[in-house]
Amino acid sequence: QVQLVESGGGLVQAGGSLRLSCAASGRTFSRYRMGWFRQAPGNERAFVAAISSSGGSTYYATSVKGRFSISRDDAKNAVYLQMNSLKPEDTAVYYCAAGSRGSPYSQVVYDYWGQGTQLTVSS
């Protein structure tokens, strides 16, 4: 069992930066691939980024590639999403998720989810 708690969301101006954090409980954190997803008002939840259990592979949605960076610190049971050059269209609730199988892009293969943190980017 893994419990996930996101933090770091807030209000930022377009062009700014922010780092989201996800703290995980449980001794098996290092076994999980970790992902970030987001859901904007009126939209379905969508993939943002993921990192393999080893940290050796990362995956990004086309819309954030080159602007966002995912990382993990297994010693702290944490995963991070560094977001740069933020745009108003990045406004959404951001969710952290943990999974151990299947495609990193598909939310259906993630077993554990946090409650989300709101990011608002003003123009």
Side-chain angles (χ1 to χ4, degrees), residues 48 60-69 82-85 87:
V48 176
Y60 296 95
T62 302
S63 59
V64 306
K65 194 172 294 183
R67 299 188 299 123
F68 289 14
S69 178
Q82 177 66 43
M83 305 180 293
N84 301 324
S85 302
K87 305 175 181 180

Side-chain angles (χ1 to χ4, degrees), residues 71-83:
S71 61
R72 66 188 297 158
D73 186 339
D74 288 352
K76 296 182 178 180
N77 275 16
V79 62
Y80 307 100
L81 186 67
Q82 177 66 43
M83 305 180 293

